[in-house]
């Protein structure tokens, strides 16, 4: 058993050195501004609940890395086209399953419909009920594809916006009836626009509420992928749980 333990230790050291030699430049990781999961400051430093997990994984693997904040659509496109790049926090959907390599689960996200509290005429108990109203959804997000795949369309009941900051201006003007998006993101927009008491969640869509992941370009080095997965498995018991970001399982 001692020989096996020593052998494994030596192999781990060799893998770390080998991986480091392959990737002399920092590994690029892309994400979006998404409080409280990813938050950037004026200096360009990125923090947040999901960022802490990602940083811990890369630091434990002794892999130099750099996190860049991009608009989500651009971040996804960049990682899809660039080997050895990573992205978070990404929902693991059927459409994306074979387009990325899934490294580690991060935080759970619920997606819901919101209306003005004053709109008591709007009552939703299912996705079908929502189709009778006009809903705003952010472009490039799984929520957009989900609604379109379930019968929503821009001719009748769907408005695709660049961001939910845009939706925030449309809702009180009755240009839309509902906003559909991730709860924590919508709540953050409410706070920014001081609308915390004016909006109300009316229905959470269970089929779209998912765990977010750290993912990689499909052509990323297998040695790099294995090292990061091994690091996650090792440090998972030490990761601090948070009500907004409970540790998930594979």
């Amino acid at each position: 058993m001692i020989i096996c333990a020593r052998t494994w230790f030596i192999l781990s050291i060799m893998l770390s050195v080998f991986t480091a030699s392959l990737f002399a430049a920092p590994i690029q990781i892309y994400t979006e501004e998404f409080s409280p999961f990813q938050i950037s400051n004026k200096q360009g430093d990125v923090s947040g609940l999901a960022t802490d997990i990602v940083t811990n994984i890369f630091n434990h693997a002794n892999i130099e890395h750099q996190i860049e904040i991009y608009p989500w659509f651009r971040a996804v496109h960049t990682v899809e086209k660039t080997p050895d790049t990573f992205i978070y926090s990404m929902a693991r959907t059927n459409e994306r399953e074979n387009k990325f390599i899934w490294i580690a689960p991060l935080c759970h996200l619920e997606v819901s419909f919101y209306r003005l509290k004053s709109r008591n005429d709007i009552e939703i108990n299912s996705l079908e009920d929502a189709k009778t109203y006009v809903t705003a959804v952010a472009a490039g997000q799984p929520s957009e594809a989900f609604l379109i795949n379930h019968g929503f369309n821009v001719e009748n009941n769907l408005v695709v916006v660049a961001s939910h900051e845009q939706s925030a201006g449309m809702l009180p003007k009755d240009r839309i009836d509902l906003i559909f998006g991730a709860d924590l993101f919508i709540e953050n927009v409410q706070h920014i626009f001081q609308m915390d008491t004016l909006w109300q969640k009316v229905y959470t869509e269970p089929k779209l509420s998912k765990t977010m992941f750290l993912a990689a370009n499909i052509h990323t080095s297998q040695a790099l992928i294995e090292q990061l997965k091994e690091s996650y498995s090792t440090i998972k018991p030490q990761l601090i749980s948070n009500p907004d970001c409970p540790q998930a399982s594979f």
Side-chain angles (χ1 to χ4, degrees), residues 17-199:
V17 173
F18 174 68
T19 305
S21 67
L22 282 177
F23 305 99
I27 292 295
Q28 295 296 312
I29 308 171
Y30 298 94
T31 189
E32 67 173 334
E33 190 80 28
F34 189 3
S35 178
F37 304 128
Q38 299 99 234
I39 310 164
S40 63
N41 59 23
K42 293 181 180 179
Q43 291 72 42
D45 300 319
V46 185
S47 60
L49 299 175
T51 301
D52 289 345
I53 301 174
V54 171
T55 301
N56 277 323
I57 293 171
F58 276 83
N59 286 345
H60 182 271
N62 196 29
I63 297 172
E64 189 177 355
H65 58 281
Q66 180 175 326
I67 300 176
E68 297 279 356
I69 293 283
Y70 277 10
W72 185 248
F73 183 82
R74 182 183 173 193
V76 173
H77 180 75
T78 300
V79 175
E80 281 184 325
K81 302 297 182 183
T82 314
D84 301 320
T85 57
F86 294 78
I87 188 168
Y88 75 100
S89 299
M90 176 172 273
R92 190 170 184 173
T93 62
N94 291 335
E95 292 81 7
R96 290 173 173 167
E97 183 64 31
N98 297 320
K99 294 181 179 180
F100 298 89
I101 300 172
W102 304 92
I103 309 299
L106 303 174
C107 308
H108 187 73
L109 202 63
E110 292 194 337
V111 182
S112 305
F113 288 92
Y114 288 77
R115 65 166 171 83
L116 289 174
K117 281 187 177 179
S118 58
R119 290 290 306 273
N120 294 322
D121 58 302
I122 299 177
E123 185 174 338
I124 299 175
N125 296 303
S126 68
L127 192 63
E128 287 300 312
D129 291 342
K131 290 181 180 179
T132 61
Y133 304 99
V134 178
T135 298
V137 66
Q141 296 287 358
S143 49
E144 178 194 6
F146 178 85
L147 292 184
I148 292 173
N149 290 339
H150 286 79
F152 287 74
N153 61 78
V154 293
E155 287 78 18
N156 296 309
N157 54 8
L158 188 65
V159 175
V160 180
V161 296
S163 70
H164 279 307
E165 285 81 357
Q166 184 179 349
S167 302
M170 298 172 70
L171 195 61
K173 297 176 181 178
D174 292 331
R175 293 176 60 190
I176 56 174
D177 301 309
L178 299 165
I179 296 175
F180 186 58
D183 286 1
L184 285 173
F185 191 79
I186 298 297
E187 289 164 10
N188 186 52
V189 172
Q190 284 181 276
H191 181 70
I192 291 172
F193 286 87
Q194 299 181 339
M195 296 179 174
D196 305 73
T197 61
L198 301 180
W199 296 2

